[in-house]
Amino acid sequence: MNTVPNILWLEEIRKEDIISVGGKGASLGEMSSIGLPVPKAFVVTAQAFRRFLVETGLEQKVYKSLDRLDVENNDALEKAAETAKGLVLKAKVSAAIRDEVKKAYRRMASDDLVVAVRSSATAEDLPDASFAGQQETYLNIRGEAALLTAVQKCWASLYGARAIYYRAKQGFDDHTVNIAVVVQQLVNSEKAGVMFTSHPITGEPLTIIEGSWGLGESVVSGSVSPDKYEFDQRTEKVVNRLISTKKIEIIADGEHGTKTVEVATGRQDSQVLSDAEVAKLAMYGKIAENHYGVPQDVEWGIVGDAFYILQSRPITTIGTKMSEQGASAEKSGAKESHKILVQGQGASPGIASGKVSIIRDVKDTGGVKEGDILVTRMTNPDMVPAMKKVAAIVTDEGGMTCHAAIVSRELGTPAVVGTKNATSLLKDGQLVTIDGERGLVYEGVIDQPLQKQQAVSQQVGIGPAPIITATSVKVNVSIPEAAARAAATGADGVGLLRIEHLILGLNKTPGWFITNHREEEFVRELHDGIKIVLDAFPGKPVWVRTLDAPTDEFRNMMGGENEPHEHNPMLGWRGIRRDLQSPDQFRLQVEAFKQLWKEGYDNVGVMFPMVSHPDQFVQAKEMMRGWGVDVETVTLGIMIEIPSSAILIEDFLTCGIKFASFGTNDLIQYTLAIDRNNENVADMYQPKHPAVLHLIHNAIQTCRKYGVECSICGQAGSDPKMVEWLVEHGISSVSANIDAIAKIRETVARTEKHIILEAARNRNAE
Ligand code: PEP
Ligand code: MG
């Protein structure tokens, strides 16, 4: 029998009580236990909500309304949400629960104590997901009747459309997600805001605080552009202040919970926090971070001299996904010479171009198309389906910690927030480019990064004389649009052309082309895309990698519905293992290569990804032979991404591979059992782990013995330190990201000279 009471007081709660009190409640309990200034509170437990569902006979009815719901169908989603919410709102709460809530309220203070009533979903605030803003909060609630209504409304908000959608997308089961309600003394903040106890993108020990006048809701919801302060924990100093114009504030309102009012002109531009206040808040943030062991996203408020910590939860995105590092390096740095239309804060990194779609009302999001740039005053959780579709997000208001920023980062969508006037300056349909790192919106479509311009000047002789290296320095290319600027680096060839990006860009899976008898079109697209890269590198080797997209990356494309659902796509049906089992798909790629070879592009090498056994190489080669490829003359090689291929490298060499290239992004994850996309274990993702270096060292030496080119095309090949080590250990070529080429070439040259110098010195010393 369940013995958890309907009500728990803050003092009784610890983080282990998350199932009963939700992330918010557990965190408040913990914080109060370590002495942070948390306002008085009690929690209506998740068990009280369950009892309510059972006692009223609602449980099955609610679940039924959600079963088999297609959350992408807006109408169906809205309808199901209305039904479920209506059921919860109309049902009568038992006298026992009502009495206990009323009693707790009276115990907290007098009958007219003003409280905030906050939902606290029990899957909320877990480290791997943020339900920020998905359930309701009611502020300025006064009196028993209003409190009971607010509690019931919080329960109903568990079934709001945006909450259902968000949970479905994050893989939470509606049947098991629960809701607790935190009833807390309302702090009528004179100033308030949010704080990231470490930098949300880089993870540096920089506390970022955003604050504005009135209640913190204006900052959290993004309805105001707040002041921003950066406090360096190493020097214990405020290192940055950005004072914004704070036009509105949200204050308590007797009848409607809260109201938005204009800030008096004199206060609009004045600084919200003194340095001493920033330091004190940062100190509280540090206490929370130290206690929880991970950086926190904290809500705070100040009334007079009293500081309050209102909630704290882990920041959901710290660190860059390894798979994105190369991409963002390629993507970052749009041309300064292009006209900047608007600027704000870079809230989610990445570059994207597209057509502006201005949304003035959430009802208009139906018109937002895939790849558009969503421009709006501020996003709210109802916009999540639209936010997922778009290429980038631009808002007039909000800061680094507002809803738009948090969700954009989680979705990996570039975002610029707090531009003040994007909705009035940008026009519907206008083509723009967003730099989500630097917070800029440029006119038109830009595809040449700034770093490239510098590289180009070197090439045409404005810079120093070209550096010649004995170790080839090649470049990685993922999209044909980048071919010209990749070539302008003067790279010695392409060490990795990822063709899956050509396919993902078509928005149709290879299976779709096959099922719809559009094979020729598929071959043509591949051929044309690869040809653009080949034409940019005449006479230089270009290693084209056969398809390597995990099944989940195909899912949202046409035909994606036929992709298998895999628990672990990284370890699943991808790379050569899929091609060998899907000869139709493999053959189409080979057709494209054949055409290119026939057209005289004999610089094409074909590289097989995710090879784990020499038999796979032999099988691939034999299939190609069967399709008319002269496999003994063309250049076929493998990626070393799985420890088994590094261990068995000699067997691969005796099977006739013409080259091997370390795919360290995968080699590291498979050697160390560290998911390269998982920020929780990102600090354990060590390219220079001795086991990884051991595998690489052995493979290099074996390739050298056979006189076969050994290269690297993973992200580690763009790291000068790693490249120094690789050159010292005898690698024959490295392939780096476009923007890293100049630096890598310099590193290679310096290391080579060092080796020669050392050898000469050693000879002289003998
Ligand atoms: C790698 O694994 O290092 C690699 C280059 O392949 P991808 O990043 O495409 O998996
Ligand atoms: Mg790989």
Side-chain angles (χ1 to χ4, degrees):
M1 202 180 77
N2 197 343
T3 53
V4 177
N6 290 330
I7 302 291
L8 278 175
W9 285 91
L10 217 49
E11 302 79 65
E12 311 173 78
I13 297 168
R14 292 295 175 271
K15 64 176 184 294
E16 297 72 35
D17 298 315
I18 192 162
I19 293 299
S20 304
V21 299
K24 218 170 272 172
S27 172
L28 286 174
E30 277 290 303
M31 287 194 304
S32 133
S33 78
I34 55 169
L36 289 175
V38 181
K40 291 184 280 190
F42 65 86
V43 178
V44 182
T45 60
Q47 285 75 11
F49 171 65
R50 283 278 135 193
R51 282 177 201 123
F52 158 76
L53 284 184
V54 174
E55 282 163 5
T56 50
L58 282 186
E59 212 173 15
Q60 292 317 317
K61 283 190 209 158
V62 168
Y63 296 152
K64 211 167 142 223
S65 67
L66 301 179
D67 277 349
R68 286 192 294 278
L69 173 65
D70 171 11
V71 294
E72 297 293 351
N73 178 337
N74 266 348
D75 290 346
L77 176 63
E78 287 292 340
K79 220 167 132 201
E82 278 317 303
T83 310
K85 274 195 309 188
L87 287 167
V88 174
L89 283 173
K90 278 184 214 126
K92 191 159 169 46
V93 183
S94 72
I97 296 178
R98 294 167 66 86
D99 286 350
E100 282 188 65
V101 173
K102 286 198 266 184
K103 215 162 104 196
Y105 179 60
R106 282 198 295 272
R107 199 182 121 186
M108 195 149 78
S110 60
D111 182 46
D112 61 354
L113 176 80
V114 182
V115 291
V117 181
R118 300 171 188 275
S119 305
S120 182
T122 56
E124 193 169 2
D125 304 340
L126 293 176
D128 58 347
S130 165
F131 283 4
Q134 301 301 319
Q135 280 80 221
E136 299 298 339
T137 282
Y138 298 92
L139 299 170
N140 202 37
I141 298 296
R142 188 192 303 261
E144 291 174 1
L147 170 60
L148 287 167
T149 308
V151 169
Q152 206 162 349
K153 280 189 188 165
C154 283
W155 288 346
S157 73
L158 189 61
Y159 304 112
R162 66 191 185 211
I164 298 170
Y165 181 89
Y166 200 82
R167 285 198 296 272
K169 287 293 163 191
Q170 298 288 328
F172 289 99
D173 179 2
D174 277 316
H175 295 216
T176 55
V177 175
N178 234 328
I179 190 163
V181 180
V182 179
V183 179
Q184 190 171 33
Q185 168 201 355
L186 185 84
V187 174
N188 260 330
S189 308
E190 290 159 4
K191 40 195 178 186
V194 291
M195 154 166 66
F196 277 167
T197 60
S198 292
H199 193 285
I201 295 167
T202 64
E204 271 179 281
L206 271 185
T207 305
I208 297 180
I209 299 177
E210 291 185 339
S212 194
W213 303 119
L215 299 175
E217 199 194 335
S218 62
V219 180
V220 176
S221 68
S223 57
V224 73
S225 302
D227 284 2
K228 182 174 161 192
Y229 308 87
E230 286 182 12
F231 181 85
D232 192 329
Q233 290 154 23
R234 292 158 292 202
T235 57
E236 302 205 331
K237 290 220 160 35
V238 178
V239 287
N240 238 321
R241 294 173 198 83
L242 180 81
I243 310 305
S244 302
T245 306
K246 300 154 291 282
K247 291 199 183 116
I248 56 115
E249 65 181 312
I250 297 179
I251 58 169
D253 177 46
E255 299 206 339
H256 302 107
T258 61
K259 66 178 173 192
T260 303
V261 295
E262 269 197 23
V263 174
T265 332
R267 273 169 81 230
Q268 284 191 357
D269 292 316
S270 49
Q271 188 169 329
V272 171
L273 292 174
S274 67
D275 281 10
E277 288 173 324
V278 169
K280 192 161 176 185
L281 282 173
M283 184 262 295
Y284 286 135
K286 203 69 211 148
I287 293 175
E289 178 173 320
N290 287 345
H291 178 69
Y292 283 101
V294 285
Q296 298 287 297
D297 171 355
V298 173
E299 276 183 39
W300 56 269
I302 298 178
V303 188
D305 292 338
F307 283 62
Y308 291 100
I309 298 301
L310 303 169
Q311 64 167 278
S312 178
R313 58 186 168 204
I315 298 177
T316 48
T317 47
I318 282 211
T320 316
K321 288 188 214 164
M322 287 305 297
S323 64
E324 284 171 2
Q325 284 181 2
S328 58
E330 269 185 31
K331 285 194 252 166
S332 282
K335 256 186 179 174
E336 299 293 3
S337 57
H338 281 73
K339 187 172 165 199
I340 295 171
L341 298 173
V342 283
Q343 49 188 313
Q345 290 189 55
S348 177
I351 299 276
S353 301
K355 275 189 192 164
V356 167
S357 175
I358 299 180
I359 298 303
R360 302 197 191 277
D361 190 300
V362 66
K363 288 194 203 82
D364 304 335
T365 52
V368 174
K369 296 198 187 59
E370 202 92 29
D372 276 355
I373 307 294
L374 191 155
V375 179
T376 187
R377 195 168 63 80
M378 60 174 163
T379 70
N380 62 43
D382 298 276
M383 288 188 189
V384 171
M387 288 169 77
K388 191 157 176 280
K389 273 198 235 168
V390 297
I393 291 155
V394 181
T395 67
D396 285 350
E397 296 167 351
M400 282 268 287
T401 52
C402 74
H403 177 267
I406 290 177
V407 176
S408 298
R409 281 196 291 270
E410 216 168 273
L411 295 175
T413 306
V416 176
V417 300
T419 61
K420 297 196 173 105
N421 45 16
T423 52
S424 47
L425 289 185
L426 303 178
K427 304 273 166 286
D428 253 324
Q430 183 178 14
L431 280 171
V432 294
T433 298
I434 311 304
D435 183 338
E437 195 154 348
R438 292 195 283 173
L440 300 172
V441 179
Y442 295 91
E443 185 171 47
V445 174
I446 302 173
D447 61 2
Q448 296 218 9
L450 178 64
Q451 286 91 330
K452 184 63 234 144
Q453 291 181 302
Q454 287 158 352
V456 172
S457 7
Q458 270 187 18
Q459 276 308 107
V460 294
I462 299 165
I467 303 170
I468 311 290
T469 57
T471 311
S472 311
V473 177
K474 302 184 189 175
V475 65
N476 295 341
V477 180
S478 294
I479 48 170
E481 295 88 320
R485 58 179 206 273
T489 62
D492 298 315
V494 174
L496 168 64
L497 171 57
R498 292 178 165 103
I499 62 167
E500 54 277 2
H501 291 267
L502 296 173
I503 308 300
L504 295 170
L506 302 176
N507 203 28
K508 293 171 191 121
T509 64
W512 183 93
F513 284 96
I514 294 163
T515 316
N516 290 282
H517 310 294
R518 306 258 290 262
E519 288 95 338
E520 266 180 36
E521 196 180 322
F522 181 81
V523 174
R524 195 175 57 245
E525 293 280 0
L526 267 187
H527 166 275
D528 294 354
I530 300 168
K531 187 170 176 300
I532 292 171
V533 180
L534 290 167
D535 286 337
F537 288 86
K540 292 183 177 178
V542 174
W543 291 346
V544 183
R545 185 175 75 178
T546 53
L547 264 178
D548 184 15
T551 46
D552 54 340
E553 288 185 16
F554 282 137
R555 177 104 47 244
N556 294 330
M557 299 162 63
M558 286 168 74
E561 64 282 1
N562 298 324
E563 290 295 304
H565 284 266
E566 298 182 305
H567 282 297
N568 220 328
M570 277 290 188
L571 299 175
W573 211 33
R574 55 177 286 210
I576 198 65
R577 50 179 86 167
R578 180 164 187 173
D579 274 352
L580 294 178
Q581 290 177 358
S582 319
D584 284 355
Q585 177 182 299
F586 188 25
R587 191 181 55 78
L588 296 185
Q589 298 167 64
V590 173
E591 273 311 314
F593 305 148
K594 269 171 66 185
Q595 283 182 23
L596 291 162
W597 280 318
K598 208 164 139 202
E599 287 159 25
Y601 291 102
D602 52 11
N603 52 337
V604 177
V606 173
M607 178 155 73
F608 300 126
M610 298 291 292
V611 180
S612 60
H613 194 287
D615 286 354
Q616 292 171 317
F617 174 73
V618 173
Q619 203 187 334
K621 193 166 151 184
E622 289 316 310
M623 283 165 90
M624 289 175 81
R625 193 197 303 275
W627 294 322
V629 177
D630 182 358
V631 288
E632 303 310 332
T633 59
V634 297
T635 308
L636 302 181
I638 59 159
M639 290 192 73
I640 302 180
E641 293 172 291
I642 303 178
S644 61
S645 57
I647 294 164
L648 298 179
I649 187 66
E650 185 139 20
D651 296 333
F652 280 99
L653 287 158
T654 54
C655 287
I657 57 166
K658 301 256 177 74
F659 66 87
S661 181
F662 297 109
T664 42
N665 303 344
D666 281 319
L667 185 62
I668 298 163
Q669 85 166 340
Y670 299 136
T671 305
L672 306 181
I674 297 296
D675 177 347
R676 65 194 247 193
N677 289 336
N678 183 341
E679 63 275 10
N680 295 322
V681 288
D683 57 341
M684 286 176 247
Y685 188 93
Q686 295 167 23
K688 296 188 92 175
H689 188 289
V692 175
L693 295 184
H694 182 80
L695 289 172
I696 293 179
H697 172 79
N698 285 347
I700 292 177
Q701 303 323 314
T702 316
C703 286
R704 282 166 68 84
K705 195 169 94 186
Y706 281 74
V708 165
E709 182 171 352
C710 185
S711 190
I712 177 170
C713 58
Q715 181 63 22
S718 295
D719 169 9
K721 279 270 155 241
M722 184 73 172
V723 168
E724 189 182 319
W725 185 93
L726 289 165
V727 173
E728 280 167 357
H729 286 77
I731 199 149
S732 20
S733 66
V734 295
S735 189
N737 298 330
I738 295 172
D739 301 301
I741 293 294
K743 186 125 207 78
I744 292 303
R745 190 184 286 121
E746 204 184 296
T747 304
V748 170
R750 184 168 298 128
T751 312
E752 287 176 348
K753 286 205 174 100
H754 193 70
I755 294 169
I756 297 166
L757 196 63
E758 277 302 296
R761 282 176 181 156
N762 287 342
R763 258 200 315 277
N764 289 340
E766 276 164 12

